[in-house]
Amino acid sequence: MRKTYLARRNALLSRTRFTWGASALLFALFAVALRVAAPNVFFAAVAPLERSAAAATRSVRAAMPRSAAGLLAQNDVLVRENAALAAENRALVQKSVDLLALLDATSSAPTVPGIVAGVLAAPPEDPYGSLMLAVGSRSGVSEGMEVFGDKDIPVGTVTTVLAAQSRVALFSAPGQKMNAWVGQQQLPIVLVGAGGGAFSASIPSTASVAIGDAVYVPGPGALPIGQVTRVDRSPSSPSAELRIAPAANPFALAWVVLRPGTQVLQSALSCATTTRP
Amino acid sequence: MCDDDTAMIRGVLTIFALVAVIALPWQLAAVLALLAGTLVPPVPLACGLLAEALYWAPNISAVPVFALSGAIATSGLYIVRGRIKASIIE
């Protein structure tokens, strides 16, 4: 006679559910252990995944549909910018030819000083508002180096260096504060990182700061870091709140340049942060 | 739906949630982790630990926020599942 019986099952966990949950936990614990024990090996293994993910994210973002009017306006701006850059390029090439002839030099085009680094991970994938770069101590990177995006716009400083990767704390990360100035009157302000690449600052309500005013941080000369996009004034408050959009969008950074830290920019970090004692 | 289909759904959600930690914005990864956690409760904790392994540094944040959040979410999901199963059995 055929015997039937029911296997005893745990009311909370079945063997199947436990397997997937346990596998996920074991995988995560293994990742943590590898990160602690051998960080260079861990990040070397993860770097190709992060690079692919970052490239896929950028291509998806570029392919996302936008309004026709917005695209047309953007196209007009880009066409004008392209024409201006082409004219400037022709003038610079001619100037370079003239100078080389004058100096009787045979060198090639001047190189931009600094270390060029690819960005492996950036916000919003990185939840802590930092950048992970594909260069480390082997390429000459050291803690405290300043990081610049397109058009020499400062974006952060190097805080952690491994053999082949390094981590950058963005100036716009929540909690970061730095001295800056805004507008034609060069009104001094304290820039506060608001996350997502944005900044905020407080000014006296009587100050004449308008939307579109540029914000600068000290550096060789003045380094543009953003532009005022909103001014919140309240009749009952003695101060006004500025919202500042970054000049370099950290979400779209693919390449950055690292340069040795200058005391000028470092000293602008006015308050103690998680990156500075 | 048979057990094999359910197991496959759990597996797919678990893998999606873990991959999302690397490939997607963290807000989306958190939502996927919670969604997967309704079927596989340890997933939010696993995703939080993976996020800390990838992105945490002591000079960026003093506290591993995402691992703690994952632990709280996993504990909550276990408690809710226990209550639901107890009410079903009763």
Side-chain angles (χ1 to χ4, degrees):
Chain A
M1 188 172 75
R2 203 173 161 185
K3 236 180 176 179
T4 57
Y5 64 93
L6 295 172
R8 293 190 66 159
R9 295 178 67 197
N10 188 304
L12 291 175
L13 298 169
S14 73
R15 195 167 63 88
T16 305
R17 284 200 291 276
F18 180 77
T19 301
W20 278 113
S23 302
L25 264 180
L26 281 173
F27 174 74
L29 287 170
F30 172 73
V32 170
L34 189 62
R35 159 83 192 265
V36 170
N40 291 324
V41 172
F42 175 76
F43 285 113
V46 166
L49 293 172
E50 287 182 327
R51 204 175 281 120
S52 310
T57 303
R58 278 193 290 274
S59 56
V60 166
R61 207 170 278 140
M64 283 180 70
R66 299 178 218 170
S67 69
L71 284 171
L72 283 172
Q74 190 183 25
N75 187 53
D76 287 339
V77 168
L78 288 171
V79 165
R80 280 197 297 273
E81 211 173 277
N82 187 43
L85 286 170
E88 188 182 342
N89 188 43
R90 282 194 293 274
L92 286 171
V93 165
Q94 187 57 48
K95 187 176 177 181
S96 169
V97 167
D98 294 341
L99 285 171
L100 284 173
L102 189 63
L103 293 170
D104 197 23
T106 57
S107 61
S108 58
T111 55
V112 175
I115 301 169
V116 177
V119 175
L120 291 176
E125 285 79 26
D126 185 322
Y128 287 112
S130 61
L131 298 181
M132 182 64 110
L133 305 181
V135 291
S137 55
R138 281 189 216 142
S139 304
V141 178
S142 56
E143 275 187 34
M145 288 185 91
E146 288 159 8
V147 181
F148 298 83
D150 293 339
K151 299 177 189 172
D152 276 349
I153 295 168
V155 294
T157 54
V158 176
T159 56
T160 308
V161 181
L162 299 172
Q165 287 87 25
S166 51
R167 190 176 293 278
V168 174
L170 292 173
F171 293 139
S172 58
Q176 289 277 6
K177 293 183 182 179
M178 61 189 309
N179 294 328
W181 64 88
V182 62
Q184 297 290 334
Q185 295 176 344
Q186 297 182 349
L187 184 70
I189 58 174
V190 174
L191 270 185
V192 179
F199 303 93
S200 64
S202 288
I203 56 169
S205 60
T206 53
S208 57
V209 174
I211 292 173
D213 281 351
V215 180
Y216 299 91
V217 292
L223 302 173
I225 199 168
Q227 197 174 46
V228 176
T229 56
R230 207 170 87 191
V231 182
D232 294 330
R233 294 180 201 272
S234 171
S236 57
S237 172
S239 62
E241 196 73 18
L242 298 179
R243 304 290 175 198
I244 297 158
N249 184 359
F251 295 178
L253 284 174
W255 297 93
V256 294
V257 175
L258 284 74
R259 299 200 182 105
T262 61
Q263 288 302 315
V264 180
L265 191 54
Q266 290 287 335
S267 63
L269 291 169
S270 61
C271 302
T273 66
T274 54
T275 61
R276 289 185 79 211
Chain B
M1 189 180 288
C2 68
D3 282 344
D4 287 342
D5 290 340
T6 312
M8 192 176 70
I9 290 170
R10 290 188 191 114
V12 166
L13 280 176
T14 302
I15 292 170
F16 271 177
L18 291 172
V19 169
V21 173
I22 300 176
L24 296 178
W26 68 267
Q27 295 92 340
L28 201 52
V31 169
L32 278 172
L34 283 174
L35 193 64
T38 57
L39 292 177
V40 188
V43 167
L45 176 58
C47 289
L49 287 171
L50 185 61
E52 301 300 352
L54 288 168
Y55 302 120
W56 183 78
N59 48 16
I60 300 279
S61 172
V63 176
V65 172
F66 294 93
L68 287 175
S69 303
I72 291 169
T74 292
S75 308
L77 284 165
Y78 268 120
I79 291 169
V80 167
R81 279 167 64 91
R83 294 288 172 92
I84 290 173
K85 291 223 178 252
S87 66
I88 290 171
I89 290 169
E90 281 173 14

